[in-house]
């Protein structure tokens, strides 16, 4: 799932696999890198409850009423369920739209439970068919019944190259005939990768085993959409709700107001509460001003919550008398410096890694150790099979997300690649020009990269436009395209490497790390996916190292931490460790 906090799904439940050792080969593939996990890490624990029933247990002391305001810096490109693969919109849609499965928080861990489905699905003996049955009595906001055909239509819609360009691509890889399917409007009318055998039963037909499918069908792409009510590009203006809240007022690029959904039945929902009367999301706000006001908690700020990284200027407050208004915890996300390998040759990519001013950028962005820790790998430490390594961009220059760059060494590397003062290599990227912090970060980045011998074309655009521009594979940029980072969709690297380095996302019109299609990378992904889940872990770790050392499609930057700043009347804010975001369905307001 794409990281949203500064640029702008994750993701998932605590799912653990026992790592198995694979024998390294002597070929020029990740298996030939050898090595073992260099450090012991706490890996996510398995958590599934196929028998969970609604209603969700009441939270002791919780009260109903009030409007929770959620102002934050980034801006969603749209609110179409089929197109969502971002952290922020995943949290928002958890309030309005239900899928086949979902998550509950128990003792600080996320547990996968049935949502619209009666259980977590039934798998055929050969693993190529999954069947889900809908619960009775589920209705849309308008009172009409949810049918299996609506889930099937939504699944088909997730293949549409225009309506779902930014969505996940697992369905294209795993669903039978999915590689070439173009959705219900442009695709084969006889496509049977997903079908409804009656009003209650949904059947998924697969090309290959997909052991983690019950996690995947918790995504927004499996929230029901009645075909007769689909307005295509305009459906995002008011997607039909099945959750405890529904759209009241939506101004694209500016705000979203939610109100209660009168046709939500808590008896059918094991995961959600509806304590506030509504929610007010405000986008593109100034982070420092917003966090400062929330900590002061005057008026509506007392019932507001912000999930941007805490600004360094506010550390004395959240470490002092405002400590009770701040929540910090681990996240599922790793941030990278994304490079377009189609346009930047490998020697230049390595020179960028040597020149990159990590420390100055963090300082300019007001970031602190409360909001990140340096990273040297693509796969975060809590994932089974994580390989602890640090690659070098040049002898003695480690890629560990630390330091302020070495301008002289970068110039030498550029010269060796045929570039210099008379023929500089030009870096082109978009940055947000209507946010003070983003402008400060860009000023530092540009100055440092220019000092290292690069020519820099920085294209300033409003926050409301940037997410779309950096998510366009045909964009003018040659670096800093989407994704800025990746948040695992479930704690296994099969939800990290394939969607971010494989060709499938590019074929659907999306962007990846490197925007690079490579037969060797695709073949290695395919090889690992054919292994058992327990065997996959260490092989993904080896591939992580191989990708950085041989391709450097993106430079490891940092492991994200979840931050929430909230007013004095906002209660029960808890960081979801596998999202780095708060569970809004558990929050309540004190009058």
């Amino acid at each position: 799932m794409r990281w949203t906090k500064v640029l702008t799904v994750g993701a998932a439940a605590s799912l653990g696999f026992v790592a198995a050792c694979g024998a390294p080969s002597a070929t020029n593939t990740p298996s030939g890198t050898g090595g073992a996990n260099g450090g012991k890490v706490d890996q996510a624990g398995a958590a599934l409850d196929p028998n969970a029933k609604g209603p969700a247990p009441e939270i002791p002391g919780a009260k109903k009423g009030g409007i929770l305001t959620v102002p934050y810096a980034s801006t969603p490109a749209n609110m179409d369920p089929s197109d969502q693969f971002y952290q922020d919109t995943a949290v928002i849609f958890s309030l309005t739209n239900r899928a086949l499965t979902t998550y509950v928080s128990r003792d600080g861990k996320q547990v996968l439970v049935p949502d619209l489905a009666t259980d977590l699905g039934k798998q055929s003996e050969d693993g190529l068919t999954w069947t889900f049955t809908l619960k009775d009595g589920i209705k849309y906001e308008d009172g009409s019944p949810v049918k299996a055909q609506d889930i099937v239509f939504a699944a088909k819609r997730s293949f549409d190259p225009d309506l779902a360009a930014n969505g996940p691509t697992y369905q294209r890889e795993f669903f039978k005939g999915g590689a070439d399917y173009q959705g219900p409007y442009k695709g084969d009318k006889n496509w049977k990768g997903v079908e409804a055998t009656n009003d209650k039963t949904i059947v998924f037909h697969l090309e290959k085993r997909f052991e983690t499918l019950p996690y995947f069908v918790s995504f927004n792409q499996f929230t029901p959409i009645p075909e007769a009510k689909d307005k295509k590009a305009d459906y995002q203006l008011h997607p039909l709700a099945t959750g405890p809240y529904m759209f009241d007022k939506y101004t694209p690029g500016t705000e979203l107001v939610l109100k209660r959904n009168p046709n939500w039945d808590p008896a059918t929902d094991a995961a959600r509460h509806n304590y506030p009367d509504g929610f007010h999301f405000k986008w593109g706000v100034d982070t420092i001003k917003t966090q400062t006001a929330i900590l002061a908690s005057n008026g509506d700020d007392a019932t507001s919550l912000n999930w941007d990284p805490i600004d360094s200027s506010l550390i004395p407050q959240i470490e002092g008398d405002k400590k009770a208004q701040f929540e910090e915890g681990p996240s599922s996300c790793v941030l990278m410096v994304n490079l377009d390998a189609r346009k930047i040759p490998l020697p230049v990519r390595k020179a960028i890694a040597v020149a990159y001013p990590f420390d100055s950028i963090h300082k300019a962005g007001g970031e602190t150790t409360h909001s990140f820790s340096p990273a040297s790998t693509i796969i975060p430490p809590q994932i089974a099979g994580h390989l602890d390594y640090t690659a070098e961009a040049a002898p003695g220059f480690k890629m560990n997300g630390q330091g302020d760059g070495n301008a002289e060494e970068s110039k030498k590397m550029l010269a060796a690649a045929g570039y210099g003062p008379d023929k500089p290599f030009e870096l082109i990227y978009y940055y947000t020009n209507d946010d003070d912090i983003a402008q400060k970060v860009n000023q530092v980045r540009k100055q440092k990269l220019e000092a290292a011998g690069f020519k820099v074309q920085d294209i300033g655009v409003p926050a409301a436009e940037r997410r779309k521009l950096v998510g366009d594979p045909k964009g003018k940029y040659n670096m800093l395209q989407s994704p800025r980072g990746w948040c695992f969709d479930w704690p296994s690297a099969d939800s990290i490497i394939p969607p971010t380095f494989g060709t499938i996302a590019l074929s659907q019109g999306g962007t990846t790390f490197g925007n690079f299609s490579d037969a060797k990378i695709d073949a290695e992904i395919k090889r690992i996916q054919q292994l058992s889940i327990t065997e996959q872990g260490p092989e993904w770790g080896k591939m992580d190292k191989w990708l950085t050392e041989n391709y450097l499609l993106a430079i490891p930057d940092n492991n994200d931490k979840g931050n929430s700043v909230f007013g004095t009347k906002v209660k029960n804010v808890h960081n979801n460790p596998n999202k780095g975001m708060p569970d809004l369905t558990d929050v309540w307001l004190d009058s």
Side-chain angles (χ1 to χ4, degrees):
M1 187 163 291
R2 298 169 192 266
W3 188 82
T4 62
K5 292 182 184 176
V6 170
L7 170 65
T8 40
V9 102
S14 301
L15 168 65
F17 303 117
V18 179
C21 296
S25 73
T27 58
N28 186 27
T29 69
S31 300
T33 61
N37 197 325
K40 185 178 182 298
V41 296
D42 291 329
Q43 294 172 349
L48 301 92
D49 183 0
N51 300 312
K53 309 291 183 185
E58 292 294 330
I59 294 172
K63 302 176 183 177
K64 287 201 170 188
I67 302 295
L68 178 64
T69 302
V70 185
Y72 63 99
S74 61
T75 306
N78 63 65
M79 293 302 292
D80 191 310
S82 301
D83 199 42
Q84 301 313 311
F85 203 24
Y86 292 90
Q87 283 178 293
D88 56 343
T89 49
V91 173
I92 295 170
F93 273 109
S94 71
L95 300 168
T96 60
N97 290 68
R98 300 172 64 181
L100 287 174
T101 62
T102 190
Y103 304 95
V104 297
S105 182
R106 295 178 184 166
D107 300 322
K109 290 187 176 182
Q110 293 289 292
V111 181
L112 187 74
V113 300
D115 194 1
L116 295 178
T118 56
D119 55 23
L120 297 180
K122 292 180 172 59
Q123 186 180 28
S124 63
E125 188 173 343
D126 63 6
L128 299 181
T129 302
W130 281 86
T131 302
F132 292 82
T133 302
L134 290 182
K135 294 174 181 174
D136 294 326
I138 307 291
K139 298 178 180 180
Y140 292 104
E141 63 184 62
D142 61 4
S144 59
V146 172
K147 297 181 179 180
Q149 292 85 348
D150 304 342
I151 301 279
V152 171
F153 179 72
K156 290 180 176 180
R157 199 174 182 273
S158 74
F159 286 86
D160 189 286
D162 297 319
L163 299 175
N166 293 298
T169 58
Y170 301 105
Q171 70 275 36
R172 197 167 283 284
E173 178 180 359
F174 286 96
F175 291 6
K176 193 170 185 63
D180 300 316
Y181 183 55
Q182 296 295 301
Y185 297 114
K186 300 178 181 180
D188 181 359
K189 300 298 182 184
N190 297 314
W191 184 74
K192 299 291 185 181
V194 185
E195 61 178 339
T197 57
N198 53 52
D199 286 352
K200 292 289 185 181
T201 308
I202 303 105
V203 181
F204 294 87
H205 300 285
L206 306 179
E207 292 281 358
K208 54 186 177 181
R209 297 182 73 96
F210 191 6
E211 303 301 311
T212 45
L213 178 76
Y215 292 85
F216 182 43
V217 295
S218 72
F219 280 36
N220 292 316
Q221 285 69 26
F222 301 95
T223 61
I225 300 175
E227 183 172 5
K229 297 178 181 178
D230 184 22
K231 299 179 180 179
K232 298 184 179 179
D234 286 339
Y235 186 72
Q236 65 116 359
L237 298 175
H238 193 121
L240 285 176
T242 47
Y245 299 92
M246 56 187 283
F247 281 33
D248 184 17
K249 176 186 177 184
Y250 170 44
T251 305
T254 302
E255 66 177 349
L256 170 65
V257 178
L258 303 181
K259 63 181 180 181
R260 293 188 187 278
N261 173 7
N263 282 300
W264 171 71
D265 182 1
T268 68
D269 196 329
R272 298 171 183 83
H273 302 99
N274 66 337
Y275 294 121
D277 289 331
F279 291 79
H280 187 183
F281 296 91
K282 297 180 179 180
W283 300 313
V285 304
D286 182 291
T287 299
I288 299 177
K289 291 179 180 178
T290 298
Q291 293 180 345
T292 300
I294 290 175
L295 288 172
S297 287
N298 295 313
D300 290 343
D301 294 322
T303 54
S304 295
L305 179 151
N306 169 267
W307 54 45
D308 293 313
I310 186 71
D311 188 77
S312 58
S313 66
L314 302 174
I315 297 301
Q317 292 190 57
I318 60 100
E319 290 183 348
D321 61 351
K322 304 289 186 180
K323 188 174 183 179
Q325 291 177 248
F326 178 71
E327 175 80 2
E328 171 187 331
S331 165
S332 63
C333 309
V334 176
L335 277 68
M336 310 284 285
V337 180
N338 203 352
L339 308 173
D340 194 323
R342 303 170 303 176
K343 303 174 183 179
I344 304 179
L346 180 57
V348 177
R349 300 201 295 273
K350 290 183 176 181
I352 295 170
V354 167
Y356 212 73
F358 294 101
D359 292 352
S360 288
I361 284 176
H362 288 309
K363 184 177 180 180
E367 296 173 320
T368 73
T369 53
H370 284 284
S371 58
F372 79 94
S373 61
S376 65
T377 64
I378 301 163
I379 300 172
Q382 66 265 44
I383 295 295
H386 165 80
L387 183 63
D388 188 10
Y389 73 91
T390 302
E392 292 186 341
F397 292 90
K398 296 182 180 297
M399 290 186 285
N400 57 10
Q402 301 180 59
D404 216 30
N406 188 305
E408 294 308 312
E409 180 65 20
S410 176
K411 288 178 181 178
K412 292 178 184 177
M413 295 172 73
L414 287 172
Y419 300 97
D422 297 330
K423 184 189 173 185
F425 190 92
E426 185 175 31
L427 301 176
I428 307 169
Y429 59 80
Y430 293 103
Y431 75 96
T432 303
N433 64 4
D434 56 358
D435 177 86
D436 289 343
I437 293 177
Q439 291 186 71
K440 290 176 183 176
V441 167
N442 180 62
Q443 185 178 18
V444 167
R445 178 173 51 226
K446 182 176 183 178
Q447 288 175 350
K448 292 284 188 177
L449 290 174
E450 287 179 337
F454 293 96
K455 180 180 179 182
V456 176
Q457 181 183 163
D458 53 333
I459 306 172
V461 295
E465 298 176 18
R466 184 172 182 268
R467 190 180 291 190
K468 182 177 181 180
L469 291 169
V470 299
D472 181 359
K474 298 179 182 179
K476 186 178 180 180
Y477 59 78
N478 62 13
M479 68 180 295
L480 303 187
Q481 76 271 18
S482 179
R484 165 67 169 102
W486 198 257
C487 313
F488 58 73
D489 297 309
W490 46 85
S492 171
D494 69 334
S495 74
I496 300 173
I497 301 253
T500 57
F501 291 94
T503 298
I504 288 179
L506 294 175
S507 68
Q508 195 174 355
T511 53
T512 61
F513 290 137
N515 279 349
F516 190 64
S517 178
D518 182 81
K520 277 189 178 181
I521 292 175
D522 289 336
E524 187 61 12
I525 288 173
K526 184 177 180 180
R527 181 190 74 81
I528 296 173
Q529 288 177 329
Q530 292 172 347
L531 302 175
S532 70
I533 289 295
T534 54
E535 292 172 324
Q536 285 185 23
E539 295 303 302
W540 290 124
K542 294 172 189 176
M543 186 171 185
D544 180 340
K545 186 172 186 282
W546 176 70
L547 284 167
T548 301
E549 290 183 340
N550 293 277
Y551 290 86
L552 192 59
L553 303 177
I555 306 164
D557 187 340
N558 69 82
N559 293 305
D560 179 46
K561 292 182 181 179
N563 287 179
S564 293
V565 178
F566 44 92
T568 54
K569 294 183 179 180
V570 181
K571 305 299 179 181
N572 202 46
V573 178
H574 295 296
N575 179 70
N576 180 327
N578 287 321
K579 290 181 182 177
M581 304 280 275
D583 284 320
L584 293 187
T585 57
D586 290 341
V587 172
W588 58 276
L589 302 173
D590 200 2
S591 56

